[in-house]
Amino acid sequence: MLDFIYYPVSFILWCWHKVFGLVFGEASAVAWVLAIIFLTFTVRGIMFKPFVNQVRSMKKMQDFAPEIKKVQKKYANDKQRQALEMQKLQKEHGVNPLGSCLPMLLQIPVFIGLNHVLRMFTVNPNGGDKTENYFFDKGGVESYVNAKLFGVNLGDAIHNTQILAGDSAAGGWHWYVAPVAIPLMIVASIATHLTARHSVARQNPASATQQTAMMNKLTLYIFPLGVLVFGALFPIGLLIYWLANNGWTLMQQRLVYTRIDKEEEKKKAEAIEKRNTVAPKVGQKPKVGQKPVQKKNPAAQTGADKPGQSQAKKKPGSPHGFAQGSTAAGKKGSGAAKKPNSASVSNPDSPSDAKTNSNENGSGVPGLISDSTKKSGRKRR
């Protein structure tokens, strides 16, 4: 019925057994234990990408958890509308709720398949000796049956039930398996608790809900306790698979979470650097384009408002800012020239005086008054 699960699982197990059988011997329990462990690693390696997507999906769901709470509170009395709004919110954020469950769902068929394959090494539903087990021939079956780990076969369990072992298998308690099975059950239970604790520690307290708190209690305490109690029903090989699976999960969580944390820190550092690059430094004027510059009205400017022109040169009453000092001085000097000092003016009728005046003013025209008639100390302009 489930041959599509049993054959792939048995094929992977057969391949690894052939590899380690060349080193330790096909009938060696070490070769079978390593084959089961690397079967686990192969399956988990295939599911590595879905696991990374699961972690990213959970991170996104934690980021918009406050929005989910708002939707749940707003449509508390309308479950249908609440479901529609939740789907819309998940679509906007690119979150697939099934993505967080996919790795766990994929492990269930492997667990069932490996349990069945290991038990079928010693169980023949048709009766008689076992001659084959999916990909394993008669030699592979005998190799598994003869492999003993501390005197216990890998397919033995503390308690065999008719459902798990098969109709022809003898059920009941096998206490000789307990010294090997119980330590594996305890270690597997502790590993299950540690992986759950490491995952719960990553959760955002702001996104906590009643369902989340319930699931955390299940993964932290109920599941490890279930491994400890119901591990008595698992064969030794399946307990080894469970231990290897939780050990892989613990290491994978540390690797993936560290990688995602580095990506988040890098994004934050880039955002801070970009913000610091755009923002002006202390004491630095903002660049053109960052802050609009208010232009002055050209109609309100005058000739004196041009840059570089000194305001001290403006004189009252002169809208053009012309310097009036020299004009006033010229007029004043002209008035002084028209009113010469009578003591210094000679008689124009005297030939000697006319000649003297002509030579002094440099014009050669007799009768003109020279600049020497100006008051001493006044500069020519």
Side-chain angles (χ1 to χ4, degrees), residues 14 17-18 25-28 32 121 130-133 135-147:
W14 177 83
H17 176 256
K18 287 294 183 181
E26 291 187 358
S28 173
W32 283 102
F121 274 109
K130 190 76 173 179
T131 58
E132 61 180 10
N133 186 24
F135 269 91
F136 292 93
D137 56 6
K138 185 177 180 180
V141 173
E142 293 178 355
S143 171
Y144 181 81
V145 172
N146 296 327

Side-chain angles (χ1 to χ4, degrees), residues 269-281:
E270 290 177 354
I272 294 174
E273 183 179 359
K274 184 177 180 181
R275 186 169 60 250
N276 293 338
T277 303
V278 174
K281 298 180 180 180

Side-chain angles (χ1 to χ4, degrees), residues 21-342:
L22 296 175
V23 180
F24 301 100
E26 291 187 358
S28 173
V30 177
W32 283 102
V33 169
L34 291 176
I36 294 173
I37 292 174
F38 277 83
L39 163 69
T40 308
F41 293 167
T42 302
V43 175
R44 294 306 304 271
I46 295 173
M47 294 187 298
F48 180 77
K49 185 63 175 179
F51 177 79
V52 176
N53 295 335
Q54 173 195 4
V55 175
R56 296 186 185 278
S57 178
M58 292 177 62
K59 182 68 171 59
K60 289 181 180 180
M61 291 183 68
Q62 291 178 7
D63 292 339
F64 69 90
E67 299 181 21
I68 294 178
K69 289 184 178 180
K70 291 180 181 179
V71 172
Q72 292 176 346
K73 184 177 180 181
K74 184 177 181 180
Y75 303 102
N77 299 326
D78 190 354
K79 299 298 181 182
Q80 184 176 1
R81 181 64 182 278
Q82 182 182 120
L84 292 175
E85 292 296 329
M86 290 285 291
Q87 293 177 0
K88 182 180 178 181
L89 192 62
Q90 291 169 358
K91 186 177 180 180
E92 290 178 354
H93 290 270
V95 175
N96 185 9
L98 296 178
S100 59
C101 304
L102 184 60
M104 184 178 295
L105 294 176
L106 292 176
Q107 293 181 53
I108 294 175
V110 178
F111 181 83
I112 295 174
L114 182 61
N115 178 53
H116 180 78
V117 169
L118 293 179
R119 290 185 181 278
M120 288 300 104
F121 274 109
T122 57
V123 175
N124 188 1
N126 300 324
D129 294 335
K130 190 76 173 179
T131 58
E132 61 180 10
N133 186 24
Y134 298 102
F135 269 91
F136 292 93
D137 56 6
K138 185 177 180 180
V141 173
E142 293 178 355
S143 171
Y144 181 81
V145 172
N146 296 327
K148 302 293 183 179
L149 183 64
F150 301 107
V152 178
N153 189 273
L154 298 178
D156 291 340
I158 295 177
H159 181 76
N160 287 332
T161 62
Q162 294 294 333
I163 298 176
L164 297 177
D167 295 336
S168 62
W173 295 93
H174 305 282
W175 294 110
Y176 67 92
V177 184
V180 179
I182 289 178
L184 291 175
M185 291 161 54
I186 294 174
V187 177
S189 178
I190 294 173
T192 305
H193 175 76
L194 291 177
T195 54
R197 179 175 291 277
H198 192 257
S199 179
V200 171
R202 298 281 305 180
Q203 295 179 1
N204 186 3
S207 63
T209 60
Q210 294 181 354
Q211 292 81 2
T212 305
M214 185 179 298
M215 287 300 299
N216 290 341
K217 290 181 180 179
L218 287 175
T219 56
L220 283 172
Y221 305 107
I222 304 302
F223 289 171
L225 183 62
V227 175
L228 188 61
V229 174
F230 294 100
L233 305 177
F234 299 157
I236 300 298
L238 200 62
L239 290 175
I240 293 173
Y241 165 80
W242 190 268
L243 180 60
N245 184 64
N246 283 277
W248 173 280
T249 302
L250 187 60
M251 292 185 295
Q252 184 175 254
Q253 283 179 345
R254 291 184 177 275
L255 177 64
V256 174
Y257 290 160
T258 303
R259 177 181 175 183
I260 292 178
D261 290 341
K262 289 182 179 179
E263 291 179 357
E264 294 293 332
E265 292 177 358
K266 184 177 180 180
K267 289 180 180 179
K268 291 181 180 179
E270 290 177 354
I272 294 174
E273 183 179 359
K274 184 177 180 181
R275 186 169 60 250
N276 293 338
T277 303
V278 174
K281 298 180 180 180
V282 179
Q284 181 181 2
K285 295 182 179 180
K287 298 180 180 179
V288 178
Q290 291 182 339
K291 186 177 180 180
V293 180
Q294 296 181 356
K295 297 182 179 181
K296 296 182 179 180
N297 187 4
Q301 290 183 342
T302 59
D305 293 331
K306 295 181 181 180
Q309 183 176 356
S310 176
Q311 299 292 334
K313 293 183 179 181
K314 294 182 179 180
K315 296 296 181 178
S318 177
H320 300 286
F322 293 144
Q324 299 178 354
S326 59
T327 306
K331 292 182 179 180
K332 189 173 181 181
S334 176
K338 292 181 180 180
K339 297 179 181 180
N341 192 352
S342 57

